[in-house]
Amino acid sequence: MRIKEGFELREICGEHVILSHGMDNIDFSKIISLNETAAFLWKQAVGKEAISEDGLVSSLLEAYEVDEETARKDVAQVLAKWREIGLLA
């Protein structure tokens, strides 16, 4: 899996939000806001041809003081949400 083309993380007024570029990605009915952890994971995943859940868990474990069970749960939730709203290809 990978992040679809046409999406970009920006910080606006202290909030992490995903902006879309191009007509295929435009949906003005929702704003995609990310918490600090999700924004970190986005930065780890963006631009890569393929991302893996295990790779993101490893990145989270290296960057934060978190146990593996919590990291796996957080990564799974973030990826599930990204799939649901169409950010992943």
Side-chain angles (χ1 to χ4, degrees):
M1 81 185 111
R2 65 178 174 77
I3 294 178
K4 282 184 181 178
E5 293 291 323
F7 291 102
E8 172 184 2
L9 176 66
R10 290 276 181 97
E11 189 170 331
I12 300 173
C13 297
E15 295 290 322
H16 299 284
V17 288
I18 301 294
L19 302 176
S20 63
H21 302 281
M23 295 305 290
D24 292 341
N25 295 328
I26 293 179
D27 179 356
F28 292 106
S29 67
K30 59 185 149 194
I31 293 175
I32 303 167
S33 178
L34 304 179
N35 65 21
E36 287 293 325
T37 303
F40 171 81
L41 293 172
W42 181 274
K43 291 173 187 174
Q44 298 302 304
V46 74
K48 294 187 177 165
E49 190 58 36
I51 56 174
S52 72
E53 193 166 324
D54 287 340
L56 292 176
V57 168
S58 293
S59 294
L60 206 55
L61 289 171
E62 289 176 22
Y64 292 92
E65 291 183 23
V66 63
D67 61 271
E68 186 172 350
E69 182 180 342
T70 300
R72 284 199 178 281
K73 185 181 109 189
D74 289 351
V75 168
Q77 287 177 340
V78 166
L79 290 177
K81 187 63 174 178
W82 290 355
R83 273 186 212 97
E84 177 187 323
I85 60 178
L87 297 177
L88 298 178

